[in-house]
Amino acid sequence: MTVSAPGKLMLFGEHAVVYGYPCIVTAISQRLEVSLSDTDNVPGDRRFVDAAIQAWGDGKDIKLSAKCAFSGCYGFGSSSAVTVATLKALRPEAPDRTLFDTAYKIILEIQGVGSGFDVASAVFGGTLYYIKNKAIEPLAVKDVPLVVGYTGIKSNTVDLIKMVAKKREEYPEKLERICKAIGKIVDEAKTRMIEGDWERVGKLMDFNQEYLRDLGVSSEKLETLIGAAKSAGAYGAKLSGAGGGDCMIALASAEKRQSVEEAITKAGGEVVHVTPNAEEVRVEA
Ligand code: MEV
């Protein structure tokens, strides 16, 4: 049995989603594969796989191998993808909702924090409007003209979530105001993305980035790549995910794509080619 699950990219609403505001996430073409096999081969952090086997392995001695088409550095969500893929391999018939609940519980037990948006993306695929414990809504979007640039810096999601939480304790009103404003941007982005109004969606990315800057989760390298993409004619750009490093994203028309990609590379970023709106977790064989 081989199962694959997609990686993900946060398009709008990171951090605010932890506090009950909406976000938009898209599943990407780069996938993580898990196979039940005779030999055990799990590169990197085993905790998620072990917890999944503990949950749905019925006490059997289960061996499996995991293979990832993307580097764990990009922030594409390898922990959630491997958890979802392992659970699906153990119980392919389980309903999506049960799969989501079980995987999210495992992630929370191991990481202690997280909104679950990445788990939802791996389970349901496509592009989702997500509110923690409230909404997992597929969005009918087509041909998102996305450009992705990796900073070369691995960010620590848990630390960044905790940093924002600490700020929220110190300045609760300010943080609430920022998260609320991000939530409004996400709600408009949802409509504009379905309409395919990429120029406006780009503007909304810029607005979202301003608030992420205020939260203190952007970085010099992210700002450099974002600035380069915008100078080269992108509709808009922002960081994607926890911040600190990982990837930035931009939207660019077909005419501008190449110059935006070149600008990101020239500014010291690595362009990662991904296709958004990818399929959910699936049994391959
Ligand atoms: C990290 O990719 C996105 C955050 O919003 C954390 C989460 O939602 O779990 C910062």
Side-chain angles (χ1 to χ4, degrees):
M1 162 89 63
T2 297
V3 168
S4 80
K8 57 81 188 140
L9 268 174
M10 182 70 105
L11 300 182
F12 286 96
E14 46 273 272
H15 288 289
V17 66
V18 175
Y19 302 104
Y21 292 95
C23 74
I24 297 175
V25 57
T26 195
I28 58 169
S29 46
Q30 273 88 339
R31 304 181 75 86
L32 181 145
E33 219 173 73
V34 162
S35 306
L36 299 181
S37 62
D38 303 333
T39 50
D40 215 48
N41 180 19
V42 180
D45 194 343
R46 272 204 70 97
R47 289 177 300 164
F48 299 93
V49 167
D50 289 340
I53 292 173
Q54 175 88 24
W56 281 5
D58 300 325
K60 292 186 202 129
D61 175 27
I62 288 170
K63 293 193 177 60
L64 54 80
S65 63
K67 203 169 65 194
C68 196
F70 51 90
S71 153
C73 296
Y74 291 150
F76 287 167
S78 50
S79 311
S80 43
V82 82
T83 308
V84 168
T86 305
L87 289 171
K88 180 85 177 173
L90 295 170
R91 285 195 198 164
E93 72 293 348
D96 286 347
R97 187 70 224 190
T98 314
L99 176 59
F100 170 81
D101 289 340
T102 310
Y104 186 26
K105 193 163 160 260
I106 289 172
I107 299 281
L108 276 183
E109 274 165 13
I110 294 172
Q111 284 187 176
V113 286
S115 66
F117 81 103
D118 43 358
V119 180
S121 181
V123 172
F124 297 95
T127 300
L128 302 173
Y129 175 86
Y130 177 86
I131 307 176
K132 189 172 69 170
N133 301 327
K134 241 191 208 153
I136 303 177
E137 199 183 315
L139 300 185
V141 298
K142 282 202 304 272
D143 307 326
V144 187
L146 198 65
V147 179
V148 181
Y150 177 52
T151 57
I153 300 157
K154 170 86 199 108
S155 76
N156 186 323
T157 303
V158 174
D159 284 355
L160 283 151
I161 294 177
K162 286 184 178 159
M163 186 195 87
V164 173
K166 190 159 169 276
K167 277 200 178 159
R168 191 165 174 264
E169 270 172 32
E170 286 170 23
Y171 311 103
E173 279 154 28
K174 180 176 178 201
L175 266 282
E176 198 51 37
R177 205 169 55 238
I178 292 175
C179 289
K180 207 167 164 186
I182 292 176
K184 274 185 88 167
I185 291 169
V186 175
D187 280 331
E188 186 186 339
K190 176 185 176 191
T191 314
R192 303 298 187 177
M193 283 183 68
I194 294 167
E195 291 168 1
D197 183 352
W198 303 118
E199 204 171 327
R200 180 66 188 166
V201 178
K203 269 267 157 297
L204 294 168
M205 282 190 172
D206 291 345
F207 296 154
N208 194 161
Q209 177 61 21
E210 281 178 29
Y211 288 112
L212 289 164
R213 223 172 268 145
D214 279 358
L215 284 179
V217 296
S218 195
S219 73
E220 222 175 288
K221 187 73 183 274
L222 281 165
E223 292 298 331
T224 304
L225 302 189
I226 289 166
K230 294 203 11 149
S231 302
Y235 292 132
K238 63 185 277 295
L239 66 84
S240 170
D246 285 354
C247 289
M248 51 73 70
I249 53 173
L251 289 181
S253 64
E255 300 77 57
K256 298 277 186 196
R257 167 172 287 270
Q258 198 182 340
S259 20
V260 170
E261 290 187 352
E262 281 168 9
I264 290 172
T265 310
K266 214 168 145 215
E270 176 197 336
V271 172
V272 190
H273 292 279
V274 312
T275 310
N277 224 9
E279 251 187 79
E280 68 270 29
V281 65
R282 63 177 184 229
V283 176
E284 300 285 352

